[in-house]
Amino acid sequence: MSTERLAGRTALVTGASSGIGNAIAAAFGREGANVAVADIRREPKLDDERSVFDRLSAVDAESHFVETDVSDDGSVEAAIESTVDRFGGLDVLVNNAGIYYQNRAHETPTEEYDEILDVNLRGVFLSSKAAVPALKRSDNGKIINLASIYGLVGGENSAAYCASKGGVANLTRQMALDYAEDEININALAPGIIKTAQNVEWRENNEEILEAWHRDTPWPRFGEPDDVADAALFLASDESDFVTGTVLSVDGGWTAR
Ligand code: NAP
């Protein structure tokens, strides 16, 4: 049910064609926002995922696709520019695009480390840098970064990913300080295991990892993309106007131990 919490606002969500970003974009559209979908792909990754554009049009939200690689500064700048041109401004940036490969440090090819850091951390930096001027012009400027439980605690077999998400968590705190005087709220979400394409292979085909993830998730189920979208909606809305520099766990209790 819509409560029009984002009526008249414009949001740009990176990686919004699939998974968590898709759910965030749909929730923002339902609450009245115009939504720019900035992704390297247009179609969702999983066969049973609904197109974000169908979800947005079903709630009469305006959508705008901008093919974007968040690790490329020119691509990101063009995405922000085209969103501002299309909708007249930008109020909310969600830095959601991210990738995950499993490896211990000594087994991680340097190219893989660079790729993960480029998308997950450099991407957040580049998109935020490009968006700040427009967000300063907004009366409701918000940045929401997708960190992870693996940005708050270590996780086995995930050296580059943990390095990238730890960076996202602390870049969030750092930027919150610099832009508080401009009244731009800058926060992060730290999801636990959320059922998306990012982990489907392990959930479906790796009994050992599945068991370990259930053991580490006190809540009796894994998360759904909508669980994260609900938290993102709070961070995008006026209800979080005095919340900045925080990393909110959406993890079924994983990091409560
Ligand atoms: P997902 O289902 O794989 O969706 C990510 C989307 O981002 C895909 O459409 C992907 O396209 C796109 N993308 C990848 N690289 C990109 C780039 N360079 N520029 C623009 N778009 C790009 O992932 P998700 O599970 O929803 O994850 C969303 C965010 O939450 C990520 O930052 C992730 O690390 C974080 N997170 C997820 C979980 C979880 O359990 N799922 C837990 C903690 C944190 P391609 O697939 O074609 O590359």
Side-chain angles (χ1 to χ4, degrees), residues 25 43 57 69 95 102 106 112-113 119 123-124 130 144 150 153 168 191 212-213 216-217 249-250:
E43 297 305 320
S57 76
D69 176 354
N95 286 311
Q102 287 205 345
H106 76 284
E112 182 177 300
Y113 178 87
V119 176
V124 172
I144 302 163
Y150 285 1
V153 296
V168 170
W213 284 350
D216 290 338
T217 305
S249 297
V250 186

Side-chain angles (χ1 to χ4, degrees), residues 15-253:
S17 293
S18 312
I20 293 170
N22 180 316
I24 291 174
F28 285 11
R30 188 192 71 218
E31 294 296 321
N34 304 316
V35 183
V37 171
D39 201 309
I40 46 175
R41 61 161 59 232
R42 210 188 162 97
E43 297 305 320
K45 296 185 78 165
L46 295 176
D47 291 342
D48 60 355
E49 275 185 285
R50 210 171 145 201
S51 154
V52 69
F53 304 101
D54 291 350
R55 295 180 78 179
L56 286 165
S57 76
V59 292
D60 291 325
E62 296 287 334
S63 64
H64 176 57
F65 177 66
V66 260
E67 189 176 342
T68 310
D69 176 354
V70 296
S71 65
D72 179 282
D73 43 6
S75 176
V76 162
E77 284 159 19
I80 303 283
E81 198 183 319
S82 110
T83 302
V84 171
D85 284 351
R86 170 78 167 78
F87 295 125
L90 179 69
D91 303 294
V92 184
L93 168 69
V94 183
N95 286 311
N96 165 79
I99 55 175
Y100 177 45
Y101 307 126
Q102 287 205 345
N103 259 322
R104 296 186 289 181
H106 76 284
E107 294 159 340
T108 302
T110 308
E111 302 72 37
E112 182 177 300
Y113 178 87
D114 287 343
E115 186 189 350
I116 292 180
L117 269 286
D118 279 355
V119 176
N120 294 7
L121 182 54
R122 188 172 194 263
V124 172
F125 167 71
L126 291 179
S127 304
S128 302
K129 181 180 171 186
V132 160
L135 294 174
K136 279 189 179 198
R137 292 193 295 272
S138 164
D139 292 332
N140 307 287
K142 311 262 186 184
I143 297 179
I144 302 163
N145 297 326
L146 267 292
S148 166
I149 47 173
Y150 285 1
L152 299 175
V153 296
E156 288 84 357
N157 269 321
S158 305
Y161 189 78
C162 285
S164 71
K165 294 299 186 178
V168 170
N170 218 29
L171 181 59
T172 302
R173 299 182 188 102
Q174 191 289 325
M175 287 188 61
L177 300 180
D178 282 348
Y179 300 104
E181 64 181 10
D182 300 299
E183 299 186 29
I184 303 174
N185 300 78
I186 304 182
N187 294 293
L189 294 168
I193 305 301
I194 310 296
K195 289 158 71 181
T196 71
Q198 194 177 76
N199 50 38
V200 69
E201 200 52 41
W202 293 295
R203 278 189 287 112
E204 291 183 355
N205 300 317
N206 193 314
E207 204 56 44
E208 204 182 326
I209 290 183
L210 186 69
E211 257 176 48
W213 284 350
H214 273 302
R215 188 194 59 224
D216 290 338
T217 305
W219 208 259
R221 64 170 175 86
F222 291 146
E224 299 289 340
D226 283 345
D227 291 312
V228 185
D230 286 339
L233 195 49
F234 164 67
L235 292 177
S237 72
D238 296 345
E239 289 153 34
S240 62
D241 276 354
F242 198 58
V243 179
T244 202
T246 198
V247 182
L248 175 62
S249 297
V250 186
D251 65 0

